[in-house]
Amino acid sequence: MCGIVAYIGPRKAHEVIIKGLKRLEYRGYDSAGIALLNGSLNIYKKKGRVSDLENTLEDEKLASRVGIGHTRWATHGEPNDENAHPHYSFSKNLAIIHNGIIENYSSLKQELLNKGYSFKSETDSEVFIQFIEDIQVNNDCSLEEAVRLALTKVVGAYAIVIMSKDDPNMLIAARKGSPLVIGIGKDEFFLASDATPIIEYTNEVVYLNDYEIAIIDNNELRLKNTQDVASTPYIQTLDMELEAIEKGGYEHFMLKEIFEQPRSISDCMRGRLNANKGRLVLGGIREYANKLVNADRIIIVACGTSWHAGLVAEYFFEEFCRVPVEVEYASEFRYRNPIIKEGDVMIAISQSGETADTLAAIELAKSKGAIIFGVCNVVGSSIARVSHEGAYTHAGPEIGVASTKAFTAQLTVLSMIALRVAHKKGTITERRYHELLVEMENIPSKVEKALELDAQIKLVAERFKDAKNFLYLGRGYNFPVALEGALKLKEISYIHAEGYPAAEMKHGPIALIDEEMPVVFIATRDSSYDKVVSNIQEVKARKGKVIAVVTEGDALIPKMAEFVIEVPKTDEALMPMVSVIPLQLLSYYIAVMRDCNVDQPRNLAKSVTVE
Ligand code: G6P
């Protein structure tokens, strides 16, 4: 987590950096800071949002052409002014911004304390910069060399940028485990955790690799690794529009992203699926396609919403490809000595492509000979790069911390992969295959229709916005949707919510039901419909308040439920892409009505780059 931005060039550095940090606030927002060279090396930092920092900066004093900035998600030390980044070195000649965790920081700190150093903050990052300075002083070497030597000694994850009082024309950056992109403009350079702070200035970028150090010195970019081996920067051209990362008239990014879904799902299928021609092509899965087709089992790893997408995929793959699927929380998988054999197939799902636990699960599986397929949204992200092959979700930048359009795009990609495999394996009939291709093409217009429920959902939100608890129930393909609905509500409105398989309710959650308890049923017409209707009756009998998401035209459930939300009919296997829409909207409106910060909920971060 944490977002970092740095600039060197002819513009006012603080303007570029503050604007960039605002774009990166999804990565963390408990404090923010900036270091500038204006007279001397000055650090301005503050607990709170980037806008709080901005309000304290007096423009005329800030004329600096070089600077580094940070927006923080606390790992070491509580969010306060001292722990905010940047951090000075002991002499105040250097300043650092850091995203990641230095695992051996306490032993390094002890060493430095023994030598007489002292610390202003509780962070591992301040230890990092003092350690670099100590190496520079002891070895009487250049800053570049001191950084390199320090990197051979620290354990953990980092994306760092360092500036020096003595060298206004230089920035030094490095990465291992946390992302860092360098934008190359005319006589200027931008560094950031992702490309969003960069794209309005240039679309030429270099993604730094693990163990690489970038030295920007006198308008020139050089790369080397921690073993001191130089390399040539590989410049890529970004394909991203500025408008994709702005709110476009919506009050929140989350609402914009919910409403973008008809388009993002279409974008995800574009050029890949053509039902008319019976064509389904995934350009990113070629060489290893047969590994998927011949797999004895598939392991899916992910976290959060992406894990829910994995659960839907489990139903889909097992039904159509007849292959056993295990869906694993990446954080559990990596630490439980899992059984992985040479040639096993893993699908890793991640919006950001940077989630630390998912990355570690991949590394573990890879080390045992598994073939990894990445399903990521962020192009060029770490998970996309370490996977053998994969398919991007192409949902466009997702800025709201609560994931919405990435989820439906993940379902789209995973369904396409499964259909491709099923077709190759012959575990699906031609008729069913074509039916599903046609129905997938219809999903964007059905999502569009589901979005028309907006006004109706506001009424439900108004009625239940003060509830203390919520229960979400569904079966089959709609069970993961229940989990996702509950997660959305928890994340942004801070109401306790649980998702459960509807039939499991009897084994515990039913005890919670009374006249105060709203119970959201995802009860669309499918193979478990009758059973879900019985579950609704069980809730009614205990005076629970039923809110039901049903298929349009349902005549039965409206007689039982307090609120009914009708979504368009679609294939049972594709229903999650449609039935999740009202749940996204419900959580959004409840959060707005409760005055919560929808796009930046407390304690959360969009990209969890710490384990
Ligand atoms: C965080 C985000 C969630 C996301 C999860 C996994 O918790 O707040 O929205 O689902 O990380 O992230 P990933 O980028 O791997 O999908």
Side-chain angles (χ1 to χ4, degrees):
M1 347 268 253
C2 302
I4 62 179
V5 186
Y7 174 78
I8 187 161
R11 298 171 203 264
K12 286 185 181 164
H14 74 283
E15 288 180 358
V16 176
I17 292 169
I18 293 287
K19 202 167 181 189
L21 289 178
K22 286 183 177 168
R23 297 226 168 102
L24 291 182
E25 266 193 314
Y26 73 85
R27 300 178 64 86
Y29 33 82
D30 58 46
S31 52
I34 185 166
L36 300 166
L37 257 180
N38 38 14
S40 52
L41 177 54
N42 288 311
I43 291 180
Y44 311 84
K45 57 185 185 175
K46 205 172 165 31
K47 179 179 173 183
R49 310 263 151 166
V50 176
S51 54
D52 297 327
L53 170 73
E54 188 181 21
N55 291 339
T56 64
L57 300 175
E58 290 164 61
D59 201 53
E60 67 277 11
K61 290 196 192 146
L62 298 174
S64 175
R65 305 290 161 192
V66 56
I68 58 179
H70 187 275
T71 177
R72 178 168 187 251
W73 187 88
T75 55
H76 290 84
E78 66 169 283
N80 58 26
D81 293 358
E82 286 73 38
N83 289 333
H85 295 218
H87 293 284
Y88 280 123
S89 62
F90 192 68
S91 69
K92 295 197 168 180
N93 280 341
L94 306 175
I96 191 171
I97 46 173
H98 170 217
N99 166 209
I101 289 188
I102 300 307
E103 287 164 16
N104 59 339
Y105 89 103
S106 49
S107 58
L108 296 175
K109 187 171 184 174
Q110 196 51 55
E111 251 175 60
L112 292 166
L113 284 168
N114 295 344
K115 289 183 179 178
Y117 284 82
S118 63
F119 295 86
K120 299 230 162 3
S121 78
E122 300 151 87
T123 64
D124 51 343
S125 316
E126 190 188 7
V127 175
F128 204 167
I129 192 66
Q130 301 226 29
F131 181 52
I132 290 170
E133 181 162 82
D134 183 58
I135 291 179
Q136 190 182 9
V137 172
N138 286 339
N139 296 354
D140 192 20
C141 61
S142 66
L143 178 59
E144 178 181 329
E145 180 61 1
V147 171
R148 189 188 73 74
L149 290 172
L151 295 181
T152 61
K153 304 242 163 50
V154 295
V155 178
Y158 53 80
I160 52 167
V161 186
I162 294 167
M163 63 189 283
S164 160
K165 186 174 125 197
D166 299 329
D167 207 335
N169 298 318
M170 185 171 73
L171 285 174
I172 298 182
R175 112 159 229 178
K176 191 201 144 210
S178 302
L180 194 59
V181 190
I182 304 173
I184 303 174
K186 189 174 174 320
D187 301 329
E188 59 186 347
F189 293 88
F190 307 81
L191 297 96
S193 301
D194 72 25
T196 56
I198 296 174
I199 54 167
E200 70 182 276
Y201 308 106
T202 175
N203 61 358
E204 307 246 288
V205 297
V206 172
Y207 289 94
L208 216 58
N209 290 311
D210 278 351
Y211 302 104
E212 267 181 348
I213 306 170
I215 305 105
I216 298 166
D217 193 6
N218 282 313
N219 214 6
E220 203 192 311
L221 169 67
R222 280 184 292 117
L223 295 188
K224 60 157 78 165
N225 65 15
T226 49
Q227 299 309 310
D228 217 6
V229 179
S231 60
T232 311
Y234 169 54
I235 301 174
Q236 303 188 38
T237 305
L238 276 179
D239 178 20
M240 198 194 272
E241 300 293 329
L242 185 58
E243 73 166 15
I245 55 162
E246 293 187 330
K247 281 192 201 150
Y250 285 90
E251 202 185 330
H252 296 100
F253 281 112
M254 181 179 179
L255 191 63
K256 175 186 172 230
E257 288 156 8
I258 291 174
F259 274 86
E260 269 173 4
Q261 288 175 103
R263 203 189 69 204
S264 52
I265 296 172
S266 299
D267 287 348
C268 181
M269 292 190 285
R270 182 163 307 118
R272 293 168 160 175
L273 191 154
N274 185 325
N276 240 341
K277 297 189 175 142
R279 209 182 61 204
L280 184 52
V281 198
L282 289 163
I285 303 180
R286 285 174 182 278
E287 205 183 315
Y288 293 91
N290 279 337
K291 297 277 180 197
L292 262 173
V293 174
N294 300 324
D296 299 334
R297 63 167 183 164
I298 294 176
I299 305 164
I300 296 182
V301 291
C303 303
T305 290
S306 300
W307 185 77
H308 296 156
L311 282 185
V312 176
E314 175 182 20
Y315 285 79
F316 208 104
F317 271 92
E318 292 201 343
E319 178 171 0
F320 299 110
C321 309
R322 307 307 301 149
V323 58
V325 176
E326 291 159 34
V327 188
E328 304 271 0
Y329 283 118
S331 53
E332 287 299 311
F333 179 81
R334 60 182 290 201
Y335 284 119
R336 68 167 170 70
N337 198 6
I339 299 160
I340 309 162
K341 3 180 237 349
E342 180 86 31
D344 262 349
V345 165
M346 172 179 271
I347 300 180
I349 311 169
S350 175
Q351 187 287 126
S352 61
E354 300 294 346
T355 301
D357 283 319
T358 310
L359 255 173
I362 292 174
E363 299 293 1
L364 173 68
K366 244 179 131 175
S367 71
K368 300 196 172 186
I371 305 297
I372 318 293
F373 295 88
V375 174
C376 298
N377 194 38
V378 177
V379 175
S381 56
S382 302
I383 293 176
R385 289 192 293 154
V386 298
S387 300
H388 290 93
E389 288 198 323
Y392 283 116
T393 46
H394 293 310
E398 190 181 66
I399 314 277
V401 165
S403 184
T404 53
K405 65 174 179 171
F407 177 69
T408 47
Q410 288 165 345
L411 297 182
T412 310
V413 163
L414 291 162
S415 308
M416 288 192 289
I417 298 177
L419 283 175
R420 187 95 193 84
V421 171
H423 195 238
K424 270 252 150 77
K425 276 178 90 167
T427 46
I428 189 169
T429 62
E430 279 299 319
R431 215 190 92 228
R432 191 80 180 97
Y433 177 69
H434 281 280
E435 245 172 42
L436 282 163
L437 291 192
V438 169
E439 197 45 27
M440 281 195 70
E441 280 188 343
N442 291 332
I443 292 292
S445 64
K446 296 192 174 177
V447 168
E448 188 94 60
K449 263 198 106 190
L451 289 167
E452 288 167 14
L453 296 163
D454 194 50
Q456 196 191 335
I457 289 165
K458 272 189 200 155
L459 296 178
V460 184
E462 187 60 56
R463 163 75 176 81
F464 293 107
K465 66 178 193 308
D466 298 317
K468 300 264 178 301
N469 297 289
F470 260 77
L471 204 54
Y472 284 73
L473 302 174
R475 292 189 78 151
Y477 284 95
N478 278 329
F479 158 53
V481 177
L483 295 181
E484 177 59 8
L487 177 64
K488 286 291 85 93
L489 190 71
K490 270 185 282 210
E491 282 179 313
I492 60 169
S493 73
Y494 318 138
I495 295 176
H496 170 251
E498 275 194 63
Y500 243 79
E504 267 297 298
M505 171 186 68
K506 303 192 262 314
H507 303 289
I510 200 163
L512 300 171
I513 294 172
D514 59 15
E515 60 279 6
E516 304 284 317
M517 174 69 106
V519 184
V520 179
F521 274 94
I522 304 101
T524 51
R525 274 258 170 221
D526 58 26
S527 46
S528 30
Y529 176 80
D530 293 337
K531 298 195 188 306
V532 176
V533 168
S534 307
N535 299 138
I536 293 179
Q537 271 157 348
E538 288 158 8
V539 169
K540 286 294 293 173
R542 285 152 187 92
K543 299 198 167 51
K545 301 287 177 276
V546 173
I547 303 151
V549 176
V550 301
T551 311
E552 60 191 357
D554 189 309
L556 185 59
I557 297 179
K559 293 187 192 132
M560 303 177 215
E562 184 157 339
F563 281 96
V564 163
I565 298 163
E566 290 194 359
V567 294
K569 186 172 181 320
T570 181
D571 198 285
E572 173 170 0
L574 303 174
M575 186 47 102
M577 290 189 239
V578 180
S579 57
V580 75
I581 304 293
L583 307 187
Q584 295 171 342
L585 287 169
L586 181 64
S587 62
Y588 172 77
Y589 285 117
I590 290 181
V592 169
M593 287 171 193
R594 289 166 69 95
D595 258 343
C596 296
N597 187 333
V598 171
D599 284 333
Q600 291 160 355
R602 69 183 179 208
N603 304 340
L604 296 178
K606 184 138 194 81
S607 183
V608 183
T609 54
V610 294
E611 68 167 278

